[in-house]
Amino acid sequence: MKNELNAIKEKALLALSECNDTETLESLRVTYLGKKGELTAVLKKMGGLSAEERPVIGQLANEIKGQLEARIEALKAEIGKKQMYARLEKEKIDITLDGDLKKLGKKHPLNTVLEDIENIFIGMGYKIASGPEVEYDYYNFEALNIPADHPARDTQDTFYINDKVLLRTQTSPVQVRVMENQKPPIRVIAPGRVYRSDEVDATHSPLFHQIEGLVVDKGITMSDLKGTLEVFIKRLYGEDSVVRFRPHHFPFTEPSAEVDVRCFSCGGKGCRLCKNEGWIEILGCGMVHPKVLEKCGIDPEVYSGFAFGLGLERIVMRRYNIDDMRLLYENDVRFLNQF
Ligand code: DAH
């Protein structure tokens, strides 16, 4: 029996020496040490041994069992370690490789200039107001003193949703919405998108941006309008800018004016930028028409106000020397990265 035990031991150690994965190791453990294993089978026969032999064989069997168990444990640890190293090797990342650089976007030039303009007016105590782009005919035209048959409507043809609803052609309707909802003193600017059914070309787009301004209070006069807009234009174009007010007509202001700045390219001599005029038109403005105040529930005998409106695209194009408006909407990063 001693020989039988030693043979089992040799066979087991040999098998274990060739084993290098956990599954084989487990099956070897079952084969030799399991309940139905070879060593157990030998031990079961110990009943037939003599009283002298039994402790000797018992001790030997226990020794062998202990040795095999220790070997199996050691192997288990060794295989586990090898597997861990193999896994680490597989998961290794090369930190010297270039990263996947994400390109960061930039502020659109329209937004850069809009924020500059907003900040100038916020600095003068104005609030930012807004209104819907899908607007009622009433706010876009009627309430601004532009009745159904008024010729001003022809120059602002737009996209109609139905008889009463359209895409706003100007930010001026926000004036009406603000006056309906707010008691004077009012001091707001209202930037936003506007629409006209214009053909797309280098200087026209069916969608563009305007910035509206409105001030209503007691005792507001044309000199407040002139002073405010002069400060605005000097902040935008530099303190040495020269500003002029030219009489004009808008249905919702009386009197009305257009404001020009002396051409900053030629200084007034006349060049391509100012189309040889020496002046560049910046905005339209005027004293809010009493009829408009009345329509909004503000008593024109008590209050007066001024309003102005300017196109954002033209200011942006001049500032950055952009000669085609379409570039502003294409969102080509090669173009946008230049600003
Ligand atoms: N809404 C006018 C336009 O689109 C611009 C304008 C002119 C706005 C005079 C005003 C204003 O507030 O007083 O042509």
Side-chain angles (χ1 to χ4, degrees):
M1 229 171 153
K2 222 174 178 172
N3 290 343
E4 222 176 315
L5 283 172
N6 277 324
I8 290 173
K9 175 182 155 186
E10 292 310 317
K11 212 166 71 173
L13 286 177
L14 182 71
L16 286 172
S17 71
E18 287 166 354
C19 162
N20 48 24
D21 65 273
T22 36
E23 288 80 37
T24 315
L25 187 65
E26 178 56 16
S27 82
L28 286 177
R29 191 188 65 77
V30 172
T31 309
Y32 292 103
L33 303 176
K35 274 200 186 112
K36 291 177 182 158
E38 294 192 20
L39 198 64
T40 321
V42 176
L43 290 176
K44 274 185 185 153
K45 293 192 287 192
M46 278 198 9
L49 293 176
S50 67
E52 299 84 52
E53 272 180 314
R54 210 177 294 155
V56 181
I57 295 296
Q59 197 189 352
L60 179 66
N62 275 333
E63 264 172 39
I64 292 175
K65 192 175 171 216
Q67 281 170 4
L68 291 181
E69 276 172 354
R71 186 81 198 101
I72 287 172
E73 274 316 303
L75 259 177
K76 207 188 236 170
E78 212 174 287
I79 291 171
K81 226 178 191 172
K82 271 194 206 147
Q83 283 175 339
M84 183 180 75
Y85 282 128
R87 210 176 53 236
L88 286 178
E89 189 63 31
K90 229 170 58 193
E91 290 173 357
K92 198 160 82 175
I93 39 172
D94 183 352
I95 56 163
T96 64
L97 268 180
D98 281 347
D100 186 9
L101 276 184
K102 294 268 175 295
K103 289 211 178 78
L104 279 185
K106 281 172 114 180
K107 212 176 273 175
H108 194 285
L110 281 171
N111 282 323
T112 306
V113 176
L114 173 58
E115 279 175 29
D116 285 354
I117 294 174
E118 284 178 346
N119 285 331
I120 294 172
F121 282 105
I122 287 169
M124 293 195 274
Y126 286 63
K127 295 244 162 7
I128 311 275
S130 67
E133 289 168 31
V134 180
E135 185 55 286
Y136 286 107
D137 179 286
Y138 176 77
Y139 288 101
N140 194 80
F141 292 128
E142 269 318 307
L144 291 166
N145 207 21
I146 311 172
D149 52 359
H150 198 285
R153 290 203 181 206
D154 295 341
T155 58
Q156 298 196 7
D157 192 21
T158 182
F159 306 95
Y160 283 83
I161 311 297
N162 59 39
D163 281 356
K164 292 199 170 73
V165 182
L166 44 81
L167 296 187
R168 67 178 181 191
T169 61
Q170 46 187 354
T171 43
S172 304
V174 186
Q175 288 187 33
V176 181
R177 288 184 174 272
V178 169
M179 285 190 277
E180 277 184 352
N181 288 307
Q182 212 177 302
K183 292 251 161 301
I186 292 169
R187 232 187 267 158
V188 293
I189 58 164
R193 290 192 199 104
V194 298
Y195 303 83
R196 293 189 193 175
S197 55
D198 284 336
E199 289 285 343
V200 175
D201 65 25
T203 54
H204 291 89
S205 160
L207 180 162
F208 57 104
H209 299 78
Q210 284 187 342
I211 301 163
E212 194 78 13
L214 174 71
V215 171
V216 183
D217 203 350
K218 285 179 182 157
I220 298 289
T221 66
M222 190 83 184
S223 58
D224 295 307
L225 162 68
K226 287 187 76 175
T228 302
L229 293 179
E230 206 166 311
V231 167
F232 162 61
I233 288 173
K234 288 188 172 196
R235 298 241 164 106
L236 189 65
Y237 287 114
E239 285 304 317
D240 51 355
S241 311
V242 183
V243 178
R244 97 176 165 184
F245 288 73
R246 205 169 15 85
H248 200 76
H249 172 261
F250 296 105
F252 39 91
T253 45
E254 180 58 36
S256 305
E258 277 193 330
V259 178
D260 304 332
V261 61
R262 185 181 285 160
C263 181
F264 20 76
S265 176
C266 64
K269 284 195 218 78
C271 67
R272 226 170 56 117
L273 183 69
C274 60
K275 297 193 191 94
N276 268 326
E277 306 223 347
W279 296 89
I280 292 169
E281 184 215 315
I282 302 287
L283 53 83
C285 62
M287 300 306 291
V288 182
H289 200 294
K291 276 195 189 163
V292 176
L293 290 174
E294 230 161 42
K295 273 210 164 73
C296 300
I298 293 177
D299 185 349
E301 297 296 329
V302 180
Y303 293 102
S304 55
F306 67 79
F308 56 89
L310 56 135
L312 181 60
E313 275 77 357
R314 278 208 278 167
I315 293 179
V316 173
M317 287 167 74
R318 255 182 251 124
R319 177 185 294 190
Y320 298 112
N321 259 325
I322 298 166
D323 60 5
D324 193 326
M325 198 166 170
R326 287 167 285 205
L327 291 165
L328 290 172
Y329 310 116
E330 282 166 359
N331 286 338
D332 185 328
V333 290
R334 291 167 303 179
F335 168 74
L336 294 173
N337 273 335
Q338 299 173 55
F339 306 104

